[in-house]
Amino acid sequence: MAAERGARRLLSTSSFWLCCLLLLGRPAPTAAARSGSPPQSAGSSIRTFTPFYFLVEPVDTLSVRGSSVILNCSAYSEPSPKIEWKKDGTFLNLVSDDRRQLLSDGSLFISNVVHSKHNKPDEGYYQCVATVESLGTIVSRTAKLTVAGLPRFASQPEPSSVYAGNSAILNCEVNVDLVPFVRWEQNRQPLLLDDRVIKLPSGTLVISNATEGDGGLYRCIVESGGPPKYSDEAELKVLPDPEFTSNLVFLKQPSSLVRVIGQSVVLPCVASGLPTPTIRWMKNEEALDTESSEKLVLLAGGSLEISDVTEDDAGTYFCIADNGNETIEAQAELTVQAQPEFLKQPTNIYAHESMDIVFECEVTGKPTPTVKWVKNGDMVIPSDYFKIVKEHNLQVLGLVKSDEGFYQCIAENDVGNAQAGAQLIILEHAPATTGPLPSAPRDVVASLVSTRFIKLTWRTPASDPHGDNLTYSVFYTKEGIARERVENTSRPGEMQVTIQNLMPATVYIFRVMAQNKHGSGESSAPLRVETQPEVQLPGPAPNIRAYAASPTSITVTWETPLSGNGEIQNYKLYYMEKGTDKEQDVDVSSHSHTINGLKKYTEYSFRVVAYNRHGPGVSTEDVAVRTLSDVPSAAPQNLSLEVRNSKSIVIHWQPPPPATQNGQITGYKIRYRKASRKSDVTETLVPGTQSSQLIEGLDRGTEYNFRVAALTVNGTGPATDWLSAETFESDLDETRVPEVPSSLHVRPLVTSIVVSWTPPENQNIVVRGYAIGYGIGSPHAQTIKVDYKQRYYTIENLDPSSHYVITLKAFNNVGEGIPLYESAVTRPHTDTSEVDLFVINAPYTPVPDPTPMMPPVGVQASILSHDTIRITWADNSLPKHQKITDSRYYTVRWKTNIPANTKYKNANATTLSYLVTGLKANTLYEFSVMVTKGRRSSTWSMTAHGTTFEYAPTSPPKDVTVVSKEGKPRTIIVNWQPPSEANGKITGYIIYYSTDVNAEIHDWVIEPVVGNRLTHQIQELTLDTPYYFKIQARNSKGMGPLSEAVQFRTPKADSSDKMPNDQASGSAGKGSRLPDLGSDYKPPMSGSNSPHGSPTSPLDSSMLLVIIVSVGVVTIVVVVVIAVFCTRRTTSHQKKKRAACKSVNGSHKYKGNSKDVKPPDLWIHHERLELKPIDKSPDPNPIMTDTPIPRNSQDITPVDNSMDSNIHQRRNSYRGHESEDSMSTLAGRRGMRPKMMMPFDSQPPQQSVRNTPSTDTMPASSSQTCCTDHQDPEGATSSSYLASSQEEDSGQSLPTAHVRPSHPLKSFAVPAIPPPGPPTYDPALPSTPLLSQQALNHHIHSVKTASIGTLGRSRPPMPVVVPSAPDVQETTRMLEDSESSYEPDELTKEMAHLEGLMKDLNAITTA
């Protein structure tokens, strides 16, 4: 802080006030001006102090769950300040908070206070923060908001009897916070309180001078915001006054209390006996007059009430009961505490830069308050320039401009806190008046250098050789520190200054400036001087001794140092508690001193330093001593009872907290009694090293009360509260775990679920409790254990509209039994049919024992990177500043949020945060924290969740395999599995392949795969060639590593793989397709290389022209041959077959006639060009190419497939989203043909099984057909592709028709007429294969065709695949019956129909 502020200092830091005071004719001041007296000078603009203070500050408040709370705060300033709120030291974000809001006056309004066992977001310490821009910030006192817990009865009324005229009490002890909400009922009617019937502050009801009307049924009710909580009913019987006497006993004795000044206190004291006793009180052996005093009131039964207590009321009070026959007494200590009060508050200060100031603050209170300073809302940390002097005052050395602002003295003790503030204004120096300024002083030297001071001298400036009227300022700082201090000369003309209080062997930087009546002049050059090392100092004090005078004080003695090196002025005694680093000191003038107020039985170290005129001498060696022991000041912790069998109970406990043991624990005193006979107490002593004890010889089925106290050599400390347990009626089996509970019922509400159950059917096995697990989707998120007597439990703080899984297990010392599962969905927020509270009037509804320490709250997970998460939390058991001063530590555990993963990792931390590293990327983790202090530990906190950021994959895809596609030797299928360390969502893969495994990776061929597909096809590889494949995964953060190279050799070519001219199959294999090339595709003028470098076709444009002319001639010949053959068949049998051939819906059934067929209205999509192969042949060795053949728009004549090998072209391409298995092949001829889109009815396609003979092996006579209206899959308009198999891809996309060359003997089928309206087509839709490519063999092939549908039905146009030719058997039968030819008139019609179709197609393609 000092370095930052000093950086802004100016060379003319103190010229203003020196000049002004010179003008006034008096020396320059060395102290800052106090409030109301700013330095005045001509031409200076003095800023005034701005009133800025709190009108109203928040106060401690008690609230109940579900209610509303206002914490008042109002501050005054001009302009109006901005009000903010802190809770537990952290600013509240009130903008996005729907329950907390800032009121117009600055108060904080909290609606619907939330409070439960595991979630207490509203309870805590609140502080109001007021800020004025360009002025500063002030903070209010800290107010504690306490939320009353759920109603629980520590004791309940019990049936009793009382003699008339005597006193009776009915216990009803609840949490201290809930006492104001307790009321009583008699016979289910509200009980009116008066002077005879009163309610004590603990909730206990006292009835004095009992009458017959006091008899009846009594119960107490707690009403704290929710439905009332009722205690058990107890009957009070009023008996007539007997003739005999009875012993005098206390029904209620006073207990020691602590109260704050101004509060009221009631010391309870109720006695019973015959004759009826009278009660009187004494304080410190002096009788109290309760009749004439207005402050002391004797309540019903004899209790004493003291109103408006003061420190004088503190002392020991004695309650004396006397009935004439006997006297008994009880005593209690009343301790009075006082909140901090200011005896002297800080005052506003004017100052200049480089000056030293002191804010004074004097406070009182009981216990003695601690003081801390705050500047503009931030804590002031003591340093070399910010010092706490005279216990509470704040000294600031070497002011800089940034020191300006509001300083507050905050006093705090156990009772409360208070604050008082003051403003510091740093004045600007007045501008110099007209006239010459002095130059820099000359010859600045350190004329005397000592260990603690330096004397500087200089000569007058050259501009003023006489310098009688000049004053000087010496600025100095430690080397490396930017904050300067200033020392002024005492009178004009003086040219020397002694700088005191320096550190030995330290380098200081000095500079001197002169001032005249016009202002400050130039600064001298910096002078570097190092102080002398320590000499002439006292030696260590000999014979230092320390001994414990009491449990809280130690006396230290020593003698005069042998080497005093001058007169010893005083001693400083330093002491420190062992194990801490905070050393304290006290000034002593004698040779002994007693330190009081120390901790009991605690080791301290002491040392002494002697001082002479030169400063501190050599310190003595540390001497250690421990304060005396005392009785423990706290009870043992974590007392628990375990019923072993019908006659024994085991008691478990832990020692008192170390700070309260006050000595070596030598043993424990166990006291126990039957619950029904509280006066008959049995006592047992056990050694101090023991933490459990077996109590035997108890009665069956009997409830016992137990308590434990710790012992030291000094005596017995306080005992724990009574804890109850009941022995079993009979001895049960505990050699095995309990059986499953017999039933489990759940009742979901909005934010809670009520769970009820019944015990296991087998009652012969010990059940010590039940474990309830619950969570969203998994019952392992949270676990709660309850007592074995409990039959229901309410799970709170759940999310609305969420599905929870609940499990219930009975457990004993052997382990947990078989779980019983149930699930429930909490109600939505809008469901008001049920309130979120469920009360069962059960005779015994115990709850789990409170944990000895509160678990950490507010656990948050802040994601920092892909493998690091910071966990922060708060600890409500710490003071509000959240500073850890004891030996507690925290345990952080975490695991991945997978129900099956129950393995946690743990780490310890001593601060309120922990950095968890080494996590997996893109993984959801859950975290929880627990606190441990000594042998005490809390339960685990509520879990916090966090998902690490994504990161590039750190492992390659695994299980990479390459297989050859069946029937496609040039096509391979690459399969793989995702990387084991994907570190995020995989968005795609890149396949690299090459024939050279040693080639650079950038020389490998790349095949990208979009999405998370795990298979890909690569086509048109070279036969009998080894290939190497690598795969790389990618996600949104980058690419992962490459997999190891996988080798695969393509098969050798065999006879079944050959085609004419040795053309290899280029068809797309199973699960592959070609991409839509788009309307802007430019067909290649020559063959393009495939990815693996196979040669292209050597055809040129002249050869293509010859092919086109040949195709035209062959087409004309085919038409003439068809006409000749068709004239020979006219029988009715052939007519039916011809009609069937024209039908698109034939599956061995040739139905329909020519009347159903209308001339085609072919719609061709001109914007999108797409040629796609088709193959669904089950033949393992198909040899027919499936490569789509681009056509010239003028060439409509079908071309023989045998020419494909001469013009085979390939092109590698990729469409990752079109199919599950993509494929890269493209063959083209001259020109590119637009894709033909034919509308058809959208009813489900019907199946047609067709077979066609091999066009290469059939004789010419048998390869001719009469059916001119039928289309083979190889027809000019019939082309498709197969994405995988029909089972894999059917139903995912629409069928598409593609046009490509066909066998010369095949022609067009008649498509349906398109419906009216402009057709639409989505090019992004992938096509569903409906046709299979016919292979050149004689096996039967199953082909699926699309139904043309009903003519005239208005349907949107859809892509269509034209049906194929008839089956092989049917075509053969048709050819065998060739003697029956068509009649001439029918032949004429058919020829006309064919010519019309050809003309239409020519016209469309030409256009």
Side-chain angles (χ1 to χ4, degrees), residues 541-544 556-560 571 573 588 590-593 608:
N543 299 327
I544 179 172
V556 185
T557 63
W558 61 90
E559 297 177 0
T560 304
Y571 298 93
L573 173 62
V588 182
S590 62
H591 292 112
S592 67
H593 186 77
V608 176

Side-chain angles (χ1 to χ4, degrees), residues 180-310:
F181 308 102
V182 173
R183 65 179 180 86
W184 281 88
E185 287 184 352
Q186 180 186 11
N187 297 325
R188 302 293 178 96
Q189 297 298 321
L191 179 64
L192 299 179
L193 304 178
D194 51 25
D195 293 339
R196 193 177 60 84
V197 181
I198 66 169
K199 183 187 72 173
L200 296 179
S202 63
T204 299
L205 183 68
V206 178
I207 302 174
S208 64
N209 192 18
T211 63
E212 187 175 349
D214 294 328
L217 295 174
Y218 287 81
R219 66 177 182 179
C220 65
I221 303 100
V222 181
E223 296 174 318
S224 58
K229 177 82 170 179
Y230 295 89
S231 72
D232 295 340
E233 279 191 333
E235 183 180 9
L236 176 65
K237 295 181 179 181
V238 180
L239 306 177
D241 188 3
E243 297 297 330
F244 57 85
T245 62
S246 64
N247 292 333
L248 194 58
V249 294
F250 279 115
L251 301 179
K252 192 76 174 179
Q253 297 187 41
S255 58
S256 297
L257 297 173
V258 177
R259 289 293 182 268
V260 179
I261 291 178
Q263 293 182 342
S264 297
V265 62
V266 174
L267 296 171
C269 185
V270 181
S272 175
L274 291 175
T276 302
T278 59
I279 302 293
R280 58 188 175 90
W281 285 86
M282 296 181 65
K283 176 193 174 187
N284 300 333
E285 299 181 354
E286 292 183 6
L288 296 177
D289 183 6
T290 58
E291 295 180 358
S292 60
S293 174
E294 296 180 355
K295 187 172 186 176
L296 304 177
V297 178
L298 197 62
L299 303 177
S303 298
L304 179 66
E305 181 180 23
I306 308 174
S307 59
D308 191 20
V309 298
T310 63

Side-chain angles (χ1 to χ4, degrees), residues 747-804:
R747 180 185 179 195
L749 301 176
V750 178
T751 59
S752 62
I753 295 176
V754 179
V755 184
S756 59
W757 62 89
T758 54
E761 294 181 357
N762 187 352
Q763 299 290 321
N764 295 321
I765 303 177
V766 176
V767 175
R768 301 197 176 274
Y770 296 92
I772 304 170
Y774 64 94
I776 297 179
S778 169
H780 306 294
Q782 296 285 343
T783 301
I784 295 172
K785 291 189 175 182
V786 299
D787 190 84
Y788 72 97
K789 294 182 180 179
Q790 194 151 336
R791 295 294 179 265
Y792 76 92
Y793 186 80
T794 301
I795 305 173
E796 298 181 333
N797 304 314
L798 304 180
D799 297 331
S801 304
S802 300
H803 183 272
Y804 283 86

Side-chain angles (χ1 to χ4, degrees), residues 639-667:
L639 179 63
S640 63
L641 304 177
E642 177 188 335
V643 180
R644 280 291 176 90
N645 50 48
S646 61
K647 292 189 176 183
S648 64
I649 294 177
V650 177
I651 311 173
H652 298 274
W653 66 88
Q654 289 180 350
T660 64
Q661 292 180 10
N662 302 335
Q664 189 73 32
I665 300 296
T666 59

Side-chain angles (χ1 to χ4, degrees), residues 685-900:
L685 294 177
V686 298
T689 57
Q690 201 166 312
S691 60
S692 65
Q693 177 67 22
L694 175 65
I695 306 297
E696 297 181 298
L698 305 179
D699 295 340
R700 297 175 182 269
T702 304
E703 183 179 1
Y704 285 86
N705 299 332
F706 295 84
R707 69 192 309 178
V708 180
L711 287 78
T712 63
V713 293
N714 304 86
T716 305
T720 62
D721 293 332
W722 288 102
L723 192 62
S724 300
E726 183 178 347
T727 55
F728 297 138
E729 289 286 350
S730 60
D731 291 333
L732 303 179
D733 180 18
E734 200 173 4
T735 60
R736 50 190 175 134
V737 298
E739 294 184 357
V740 63
S742 54
S743 69
L744 173 62
H745 304 281
V746 295
R747 180 185 179 195
L749 301 176
V750 178
T751 59
S752 62
I753 295 176
V754 179
V755 184
S756 59
W757 62 89
T758 54
E761 294 181 357
N762 187 352
Q763 299 290 321
N764 295 321
I765 303 177
V766 176
V767 175
R768 301 197 176 274
Y770 296 92
I772 304 170
Y774 64 94
I776 297 179
S778 169
H780 306 294
Q782 296 285 343
T783 301
I784 295 172
K785 291 189 175 182
V786 299
D787 190 84
Y788 72 97
K789 294 182 180 179
Q790 194 151 336
R791 295 294 179 265
Y792 76 92
Y793 186 80
T794 301
I795 305 173
E796 298 181 333
N797 304 314
L798 304 180
D799 297 331
S801 304
S802 300
H803 183 272
Y804 283 86
V805 179
I806 300 166
T807 181
L808 176 72
K809 294 177 286 188
F811 67 87
N812 56 22
N813 290 334
V814 178
E816 295 180 341
I818 301 173
L820 192 60
Y821 291 89
E822 189 59 83
S823 63
V825 179
T826 50
R827 300 176 184 271
H829 265 305
T830 56
D831 191 346
T832 58
S833 61
E834 297 283 353
V835 296
D836 195 6
L837 192 63
F838 184 56
V839 177
I840 296 178
N841 188 12
Y844 183 82
T845 57
V847 297
D849 294 333
T851 55
M853 295 193 71
M854 297 174 60
V857 297
V859 181
Q860 295 183 348
S862 303
I863 293 86
L864 303 182
S865 67
H866 68 279
D867 64 348
T868 304
I869 295 180
R870 180 181 295 279
I871 308 301
T872 58
W873 60 88
D875 190 346
N876 281 347
S877 63
L878 290 176
K880 58 181 179 294
H881 54 69
Q882 293 286 288
K883 184 176 180 181
I884 302 172
T885 58
D886 49 27
S887 59
R888 71 182 62 200
Y889 65 91
Y890 301 87
T891 303
V892 183
R893 71 174 184 180
W894 67 92
K895 72 177 184 68
T896 56
N897 193 22
I898 302 173

